Amino acid sequence: EKGYETGEHAPGLRLGGCGAYKAAHHIIKTHAKVWHSYNSTWRREQRGMVGISLTSGWGEPVDPHSQTDREAAERYIQFHLGWFANPIYRGDYPEVMKNYVGKSQKSAQQGLGTSRLPTFSVQEKTYIKGTSDFLGIGHFTTRYVLQKNFPFLQVSSYHTDHDLAELVDPNWPAPGPKWLYSVPWGFRRLLNFIKTQYGNPLIYVTENGMSETAQCPQLCDEWRIQYLKGYINEILKALNDGVNVQGYTAWSLLDKFEWNKGFSERFGLYHIDFKNKNKPRYPKASVVYYKKIISANGFPNPREV
């Protein structure tokens, strides 16, 4: 969306309403081709696995007793995670995406003869379905979601296709950038959603962490420790729920280049002095804590769980 719809990220294209859907369509078909290539050529010899890594927040209905809020929260997940996961695990785009972008909703209102959401042929659906030996999940935060009807728009948008609004709880910790609130319980719900929707696939958590935006070195990152503690604890709860999580990767080892934020947003366990030509690295307090978790393969102190 940010690369092909708003132009905020590389390659910076502003193809409103269509660009993101077209780009995703090509990504999904290309992923399937790579999986089949490996499966037919290399798997027998190497015995490796090919999967895909998808990043998604969790959407929680503002009012869990409201049917419209529950449906809006469902759309939030389907327009993020389901957009890619549904074709790979179930053979096609989520029905709610097809309905909301397609003829019965936005595309028809804008006078388009066909949906802005591309379609897969019968052969493509069969070719794509099942092309993932594991599911990588990047997860950072959660939003409360409620129904919001956008007025008729001449300029179509992936963002407005959802017909929903996102809210946050002002009591949620947000020590870093404005978009990243610490809401550990959302991760357990997302993992259980994946288990239910996609047949409990093998999951590797490929990204999970908290950043800071301050320019000065913040080596005493107690808030990052609390974030890691909370989110890893929810993964352990998900394991008890029967979710098939096999591994976890904290995001990230080092401060690094973060999209259009450059070096100003720091996710690293190690602080990097980018102004020094040698780029020295300094361990933050979270390094000590995370080392203990790695050594124990879990929380060293059972009372923490």
Side-chain angles (χ1 to χ4, degrees), residues 150-161:
F150 288 90
F152 176 77
L153 297 168
Q154 293 296 328
V155 180
S156 53
S157 164
Y158 163 82
H159 180 70
T160 57
D161 282 342

Side-chain angles (χ1 to χ4, degrees), residues 75-94:
R75 288 198 302 279
Y76 177 91
I77 301 298
Q78 295 294 0
F79 267 82
H80 288 83
L81 179 68
W83 187 5
F84 295 87
N86 220 73
I88 291 170
Y89 284 96
R90 304 180 74 170
D92 199 2
Y93 290 121

Side-chain angles (χ1 to χ4, degrees), residues 76 147 272:
Y76 177 91
Q147 169 82 22
I272 308 298

